[in-house]
Amino acid sequence: MRKSKTIVIIHGNFVNNTSWTNWKKYLEQKGYVVHTPANPGHDGNPADLRVKVHPALTKTGFIDVVQNVSALIDTLPEKPLVIGHSMAGMATQKLVEMAKAVAAVSIDGAPPKNVFPPFSTIKVVLPAFGFFSSKDYFMGTRAWYDNAFFNTLPESERAKAFDAIAVPESYKVSRQLVLNPFANIDFKKPHAPLLFIGGGKDNIFPPSLTRTIAGKYSDKDSRIDLKVFEDKSHYICGEPGWEKIADHIVGWYEGL
């Protein structure tokens, strides 16, 4: 396969593209051109967004996230390597299905509509659907982030991490992931190489779910790889040692 020197990194729910700042610099130093777009309704400084919600946030669904990245890719000189975390891990799968990527990586990825998650996942993410809320959007509490994202961080570091990345999230993104047929994946279709990365201490999407999703793909001529970092949480891309994840991705991609 022809290697692209272009990378598109997509952020997941409950954070925005500022969470990829260090990754962008790190991968650019390795010679890549790196794009880290904000999903619709998510651009801005996290602290500001917690005070005043982006006016487009509640209109944004999973379909909008995928279409936004697809439109960006269409402007690029070559198909990119696409990397996504959490909800955006599922978005990378969809973009691969749409033949928009030369290769892709799903990190702690959300399950497609046609893969049922374990009860532990439902328990953590249920508030993000807003089925029982009077609010127009979801804003996780410190306690929610501490459990869902920061469970491997020292207590003294958790408030700082929250201040740096936490943002309001659209209910529509999560709802479309579980209710809209667009969020199904055709696991039999030939596809570009896919790498699935899981965190052994991920309290949202456990490694068992990552293994299940990767194992659903069945085209014998298409490549699927899997790597679990046993000591990592859902904050795998931000907690200390994130460089090891980035290096593994680059090594996998350059070895294709």
Side-chain angles (χ1 to χ4, degrees), residues 15 89 127:
V15 302

Side-chain angles (χ1 to χ4, degrees), residues 80-101:
L81 166 65
V82 178
I83 301 170
H85 172 253
S86 194
M87 174 279 295
M90 168 48 195
T92 66
Q93 291 180 252
K94 197 67 188 181
L95 289 160
V96 164
E97 185 178 274
M98 296 163 62
K100 295 288 184 177

Side-chain angles (χ1 to χ4, degrees), residues 2-8 32-33 72-81 100-102 253:
R2 180 182 178 274
K3 300 295 194 330
S4 169
K5 294 302 289 184
T6 305
I7 299 177
V8 174
Y32 290 92
V33 176
L72 168 63
I73 290 173
D74 288 345
T75 70
L76 301 178
E78 57 186 355
K79 281 187 184 180
L81 166 65
K100 295 288 184 177
V102 69
Y253 177 61

Side-chain angles (χ1 to χ4, degrees), residues 2 5 10 18 28 34 134 142 147 149 163-164 167 173 183 223 239 247:
R2 180 182 178 274
K5 294 302 289 184
I10 319 167
T18 60
E28 285 175 342
V34 183
S134 59
R142 268 289 318 281
N147 174 57
F149 274 74
D163 290 343
V167 301
V173 177
R223 180 164 174 168
E239 65 184 308
D247 289 342

